[in-house]
Amino acid sequence: MTVYVQSRSSHNKERVQMGTINDFINDFGYSNNWFVEYVDEVNNQMRIMNILDIKEYISGKHLINTRPSEMFNGKEFVPRRIVLQYAKRLLEFGTAYLIGNKVTLTGNENVVEAIKTVYKNGYDKLDFDLVHSVNRYGNAYEYVYVKDGKITSKLIDVADSYPVVTADNDYVAFVEAYTINNVTFYSVYYDDRVEKYSNSGGTLQSRGTFDNLTGLPVLYRNDNPIDDVYGRSDLEDYKSILDSMEDLISKSSDAFYRFLVGTPIIKGQMLTNTDGLSTRIVGQGLTLDSDSDFYYAQNKFDHQAFETLYKHLMMSLLDISGTPGIILGKTDISNLSEVSIKLLFSLSNIKAMISEKYIKEGMMQRNDKVRRLLELQGIVFTDEEWDTLDIVFQYAMPQSEKDIIDNLSKLREMSAISVESVLGHSPYTTDINSELERLSGERVNNDMSNEGDNKTATN
């Protein structure tokens, strides 16, 4: 739960922000409880419904589940409804490929050390979750605040999020709204304060006003050619292909089983006094009249056409998602060179580069908010020092650990890289600071040992 400091904002700052909000309220004709009306607008509710549909799709509620029952041989036939959860795997791959390896901070040593200290408060997990949210829903929303004296952040559920953007594309406020047991709770974020409300008892009631030290929540999004505020879920590119794959494999499975069973047909007079073939006996025989005939009417199952169509849909899905076939075991590989691996992951790299552009933009805004909180704690940096800060992404592309170590070794021999950087890029190092301390301790012990050996030799 987010904790705020009770509001003591200056009147000047409040007037500046309220002027912007008032312009927005006046332009669109809202009342004093503008945030309630804003949340209930049709376009916002349609956007939230789309997010909820995505959540249900990821949980397994696909279009194929609505396939109706059919009549076969005069009886109700319940068709197969095969659900392919490739969407979850593809979204997870996209997230892990971009942010699975921790981001690296570069720049002024003091600035980087200060940010690293803040990032230890759970930001590795938060970064993964926000990228995953952007891939799934097109957006993520992060609020930076201070809790128990520590700088931290929380992700606001996209299904509860309503950023407020003016006609001039200015981001002026943010509304978080969710309903529990028929009671709706509102958190209205302004640049200098957060106002909380609920409609408990049927009327809107204030739950307090609190200082906002970091401004509005950070907006993360991915590329969307038709909207500058809301991103576009990657799932939108996959759903139609997956629906076709599920429909194809479900109907083909039904056709295949009907092909195995078939419909028994008898022409002419039966000599055997029986009601027909028993469905419980295998190999049962019939005695027919000389001009009678018996055969099974069967569907012809063209497995080659099915295989061609299914493989084409699968390859289209992998191409559009930028996922190499080897990830899902669709391609056999052996003795690949480093260049071959890069070619296999070229589409993944292109997709990750585009996503990185938008994610990095949001992270830089987060760091500016962190800087503001650090200054309140007495940790101040000049603009020149702060501007050196940068974020480097390391894509999770398979690499030869031997080649990495050989390259680091050569760079170190050339004095072209520091020990700290070597440890940072080593595949076997998990905690750089601990390794540096251990190395420093070993050097001290070796120096003391050498000094003792020299004294012994002199005596």
Side-chain angles (χ1 to χ4, degrees):
M1 180 180 179
T2 308
V3 178
Y4 307 96
V5 182
Q6 188 67 31
S7 178
R8 297 182 299 276
S9 304
S10 66
H11 294 293
N12 292 334
K13 185 176 182 181
E14 185 174 346
R15 278 200 299 270
V16 171
Q17 181 62 28
M18 282 301 294
T20 305
I21 293 300
N22 282 337
D23 289 342
F24 172 78
I25 294 172
N26 293 332
D27 288 343
F28 294 96
Y30 293 111
S31 65
N32 290 334
N33 298 328
W34 64 270
F35 50 90
V36 177
E37 301 172 17
Y38 183 73
V39 166
D40 291 337
E41 283 186 345
V42 174
N43 60 323
N44 278 324
Q45 288 302 309
M46 288 179 63
R47 177 177 60 85
I48 298 302
M49 287 301 298
N50 183 56
I51 292 173
L52 296 177
D53 288 342
I54 292 174
K55 289 188 174 186
E56 289 189 348
Y57 186 92
I58 294 173
S59 69
K61 295 182 180 179
H62 295 192
L63 181 63
I64 194 66
N65 291 325
T66 63
R67 184 184 175 191
S69 299
E70 304 172 4
M71 297 301 295
F72 180 63
N73 277 347
K75 296 181 180 180
E76 183 182 10
F77 175 76
V78 179
R80 281 166 177 76
R81 303 180 179 99
I82 299 175
V83 174
L84 303 175
Q85 282 286 49
Y86 281 117
K88 286 183 65 176
R89 300 287 84 82
L90 296 177
L91 292 170
E92 289 166 355
F93 170 76
T95 300
Y97 192 78
L98 176 62
I99 202 72
N101 294 329
K102 299 177 183 179
V103 296
T104 301
L105 299 172
T106 62
N108 179 276
E109 184 177 352
N110 294 329
V111 175
V112 170
E113 194 61 34
I115 297 297
K116 281 184 176 180
T117 301
V118 173
Y119 273 29
K120 289 179 181 179
N121 300 328
Y123 274 93
D124 291 335
K125 178 183 181 301
L126 183 134
D127 287 346
F128 191 95
D129 290 342
L130 72 85
V131 172
H132 206 29
S133 177
V134 170
N135 288 338
R136 283 180 167 184
Y137 313 111
N139 289 91
Y141 307 98
E142 175 191 3
Y143 181 66
V144 184
Y145 65 104
V146 177
K147 181 178 181 180
D148 299 330
K150 295 182 179 180
I151 300 173
T152 186
S153 291
K154 76 164 185 174
L155 285 184
I156 303 173
D157 192 334
V158 289
D160 303 332
S161 301
Y162 303 83
V164 181
V165 180
T166 67
D168 296 327
N169 211 29
D170 293 327
Y171 176 36
V172 295
F174 185 93
V175 181
E176 179 185 4
Y178 53 91
T179 301
I180 301 176
N181 295 331
N182 296 324
V183 177
T184 303
F185 297 87
Y186 301 91
S187 294
V188 186
Y189 296 79
Y190 298 96
D191 188 61
D192 60 340
R193 68 193 186 282
V194 177
E195 297 178 355
K196 291 194 169 187
Y197 301 87
S198 74
N199 61 0
S200 177
T203 57
L204 192 66
Q205 301 175 4
S206 174
R207 299 172 58 230
T209 301
F210 308 89
D211 262 345
N212 184 2
L213 302 178
T214 58
L216 302 177
V218 180
L219 307 184
Y220 294 87
R221 71 180 186 95
N222 56 12
D223 186 32
N224 188 347
I226 61 175
D227 199 320
D228 294 332
V229 179
Y230 300 107
R232 186 173 183 272
S233 170
D234 287 350
L235 188 61
E236 300 293 338
D237 296 329
Y238 312 153
K239 283 180 67 175
S240 61
I241 299 177
L242 284 169
D243 288 342
S244 298
M245 292 174 66
E246 291 172 343
D247 191 54
L248 174 64
I249 196 172
S250 296
K251 290 182 177 178
S252 297
S253 296
D254 289 339
F256 180 72
Y257 284 111
R258 291 180 188 179
F259 164 75
L260 288 178
V261 177
T263 304
I265 297 177
I266 301 175
K267 292 182 178 180
Q269 180 66 37
M270 293 179 60
L271 297 180
T272 303
N273 185 17
T274 178
D275 294 332
L277 288 173
S278 172
T279 59
R280 297 184 298 274
I281 300 177
V282 178
Q284 180 184 10
L286 288 174
T287 303
L288 304 177
D289 201 347
S290 58
D291 61 347
S292 300
D293 190 16
F294 170 79
Y295 62 93
Y296 277 97
Q298 297 173 329
N299 295 323
K300 292 184 178 180
F301 187 81
D302 191 343
H303 69 278
Q304 291 181 340
F306 167 80
E307 185 177 2
T308 301
L309 182 56
Y310 189 81
K311 282 186 176 180
H312 180 72
L313 289 171
M314 176 60 75
M315 291 308 299
S316 298
L317 181 65
L318 295 176
D319 291 341
I320 291 173
S321 64
T323 306
I326 57 176
I327 297 298
L328 298 178
K330 305 303 179 184
T331 304
D332 295 329
I333 60 171
S334 61
N335 300 325
L336 286 179
S337 65
E338 183 178 353
V339 175
S340 299
I341 292 176
K342 289 182 178 179
L343 290 174
L344 283 173
F345 283 82
S346 57
L347 280 178
S348 301
N349 288 336
I350 292 172
K351 184 175 183 296
M353 288 175 186
I354 296 173
S355 299
E356 176 187 334
K357 170 190 171 184
Y358 294 96
I359 298 299
K360 186 175 181 179
E361 181 181 350
M363 287 183 171
M364 295 302 288
Q365 293 178 27
R366 170 216 286 169
N367 288 340
D368 289 338
K369 296 178 184 297
V370 170
R371 179 188 183 184
R372 191 184 309 176
L373 295 178
L374 289 174
E375 289 177 348
L376 295 176
Q377 296 178 355
I379 304 174
V380 180
F381 300 103
T382 64
D383 290 340
E384 290 75 13
E385 292 173 330
W386 188 262
D387 289 341
T388 63
L389 181 64
D390 195 13
I391 301 172
V392 180
F393 289 77
Q394 301 179 32
Y395 304 153
M397 185 171 64
Q399 291 179 300
S400 169
E401 294 180 351
K402 181 178 182 301
D403 292 341
I404 295 174
I405 293 173
D406 288 344
N407 292 335
L408 291 174
S409 177
K410 290 178 182 178
L411 288 171
R412 182 59 185 162
E413 290 174 0
M414 296 166 55
S415 298
I417 192 171
S418 67
V419 174
E420 184 174 355
S421 295
V422 169
L423 293 174
H425 291 87
S426 170
Y428 301 113
T429 304
T430 56
D431 190 335
I432 300 175
N433 292 331
S434 296
E435 289 298 326
L436 287 173
E437 291 177 3
R438 294 189 187 105
L439 289 172
S440 178
E442 288 179 359
R443 293 192 191 97
V444 171
N445 292 334
N446 290 336
D447 291 342
M448 293 177 62
S449 177
N450 292 334
E451 184 177 341
D453 292 341
N454 291 334
K455 288 182 178 180
T456 301
T458 302
N459 292 335

